Amino acid sequence: MLKLSKKAEYALMAAKFMAMKNSSGYSTAKEISESCMIPYQLVAKVLQNMVKSNLAISAKGTNGGFSLAKNPIDISVMDIIKSVESNYKLVDCLQPKSSLEDCSHLDCCKIRDPLIEIQRKIDKVFSETSLVQIL
Amino acid sequence: MLKLSKKAEYALMAAKFMAMKNSSGYSTAKEISESCMIPYQLVAKVLQNMVKSNLAISAKGTNGGFSLAKNPIDISVMDIIKSVESNYKLVDCLQPKSSLEDCSHLDCCKIRDPLIEIQRKIDKVFSETSLVQIL
DNA sequence: TTTGAATCAGACCAAAATAGTCCTATTACA
DNA sequence: TGTAATAGGACTATTTTGGTCTGATTCAAA
Ligand code: SF4
Ligand code: SF4
């Protein structure tokens, strides 16, 4: 239905939160959870995903937390979405070497190429929107 | 996960099928189903949706079927998607008068405006792609 | 006028994806 | 050593999707 997942929304919120807190300190998952009214466990997961994708860095223990790993201008909305959405794609056949396991229609499908082009354009929208544009 | 639904894919396939069959005859749901390897009942539903949205016209009874209601150049991918996806939208709060029933975060959400802008750009991609571009 | 080919309409079901929870481990600071 | 935090996995509940079934209606041809 072309909807952004809650995870993606939460990731954007968290990223914005960290970007706003320009003081170089850490933001904790609890802090973000309460500020944005997001379930704690969920935002914690999302933040962990961002760390894995090298968008954020984390510090354990007392006074620990999360902070952005790069300058907000260098983080795109696409980066954030991809950090939490393992398979972000319009259709199942986008890999150049997609097989019938990806989609049983692959060998008779007559709309694949145009959809790949549309995907390219949508990717562009997300890639060209930087975190600073949502501050 | 920002994926197109099967219904939307099937609608695009069906639209393309009808557009290709430029001879002014009708295409039947069965014909489209077999040609595109789509479950019959499903493509039938999709075609009915297209009729309701005035993208296609239908004729009942023997020799009946479906055919496009307009010139393919005047049908956008957006039209086709919207004919089958009752609530196509990136996030739940897009109506200008969205309420807390749409999203409980509405009054504390700090990413809404930028997402509305992104939605606008994505809409543009779908609206500016016409059916002729996928033939 | 009967038969059959087709759309129309709705309820229904199964499988998958999403959203959220729980529990335990690990790390580091005070 | 206690506490505040991240890390990570298993688990559950809810929603959405994809698909099926049944029956009614319409219309043309036999
Ligand atoms: S139906 Fe066509 S476009 Fe859709 S996933 Fe399969 S091959 Fe790709
Ligand atoms: S979280 Fe914000 S952007 Fe997402 S649906 Fe709610 S109000 Fe809209």
Side-chain angles (χ1 to χ4, degrees):
Chain A
M1 199 206 280
L2 285 169
K3 180 136 55 193
L4 221 54
S5 69
K6 284 294 173 194
K7 253 175 23 180
E9 286 197 80
Y10 296 162
L12 289 168
M13 290 180 189
K16 174 165 183 174
F17 186 96
M18 290 187 284
M20 302 284 274
K21 186 165 181 171
N22 48 2
S23 68
S24 53
Y26 290 114
S27 314
T28 71
K30 189 176 174 225
E31 203 179 350
I32 297 175
S33 152
E34 287 170 356
S35 156
C36 304
M37 310 264 287
I38 310 174
Y40 168 77
Q41 307 269 15
L42 212 33
V43 80
K45 288 252 149 68
V46 159
L47 286 160
Q48 283 164 35
N49 287 336
M50 289 204 261
V51 171
K52 273 197 187 169
S53 310
N54 296 107
L55 294 184
I57 55 175
S58 68
K60 289 184 176 180
T62 312
N63 299 330
F66 299 88
S67 98
L68 292 178
K70 318 180 197 178
N71 191 306
I73 192 98
D74 294 321
I75 298 180
S76 70
V77 169
M78 177 69 106
D79 293 330
I80 298 173
I81 291 178
K82 282 204 168 161
S83 78
V84 294
E85 292 296 350
S86 52
N87 51 351
Y88 149 78
K89 54 190 172 192
L90 215 53
V91 286
D92 290 326
C93 60
L94 286 189
Q95 301 77 6
K97 292 200 65 169
S98 285
S99 73
L100 284 176
E101 288 187 22
D102 296 310
C103 177
S104 59
H105 297 106
L106 190 62
D107 49 9
C108 66
C109 178
K110 301 194 171 63
I111 57 168
R112 190 178 171 213
D113 290 347
L115 283 181
I116 290 177
E117 178 61 16
I118 288 178
Q119 172 87 64
R120 213 187 48 72
K121 289 182 184 165
I122 291 181
D123 286 358
K124 198 157 173 280
V125 171
F126 287 118
S127 299
E128 290 182 350
T129 305
S130 140
L131 177 51
V132 297
Q133 288 170 262
I134 76 169
L135 296 186
Chain B
M1 201 206 278
L2 284 170
K3 180 137 57 191
L4 221 55
S5 69
K6 284 292 173 195
K7 251 171 29 176
E9 285 197 83
Y10 296 162
L12 289 168
M13 290 181 189
K16 175 165 183 174
F17 187 96
M18 290 188 283
M20 303 284 272
K21 188 166 181 171
N22 48 3
S23 68
S24 53
Y26 289 114
S27 313
T28 71
K30 189 177 174 221
E31 204 178 349
I32 297 174
S33 152
E34 287 171 356
S35 156
C36 305
M37 310 264 287
I38 311 173
Y40 168 77
Q41 308 268 16
L42 212 34
V43 80
K45 286 255 149 64
V46 159
L47 285 160
Q48 283 163 34
N49 288 337
M50 289 205 262
V51 171
K52 271 196 187 169
S53 310
N54 296 106
L55 294 183
I57 55 175
S58 69
K60 289 183 175 181
T62 312
N63 299 330
F66 299 86
S67 101
L68 292 178
K70 319 179 197 177
N71 191 307
I73 191 96
D74 294 320
I75 299 179
S76 71
V77 170
M78 177 69 106
D79 293 330
I80 297 172
I81 291 177
K82 282 205 168 162
S83 78
V84 295
E85 290 297 350
S86 52
N87 51 349
Y88 149 78
K89 53 190 172 195
L90 214 52
V91 286
D92 289 326
C93 61
L94 286 189
Q95 301 77 7
K97 292 201 64 168
S98 285
S99 72
L100 285 174
E101 288 187 21
D102 295 310
C103 177
S104 59
H105 296 106
L106 190 62
D107 49 7
C108 66
C109 177
K110 301 195 170 61
I111 58 169
R112 190 179 170 212
D113 291 346
L115 283 180
I116 289 177
E117 179 61 16
I118 288 179
Q119 172 86 65
R120 213 187 49 72
K121 288 183 183 163
I122 292 181
D123 285 358
K124 196 156 174 284
V125 171
F126 287 119
S127 299
E128 290 182 348
T129 306
S130 139
L131 178 50
V132 298
Q133 287 169 263
I134 74 169
L135 296 186

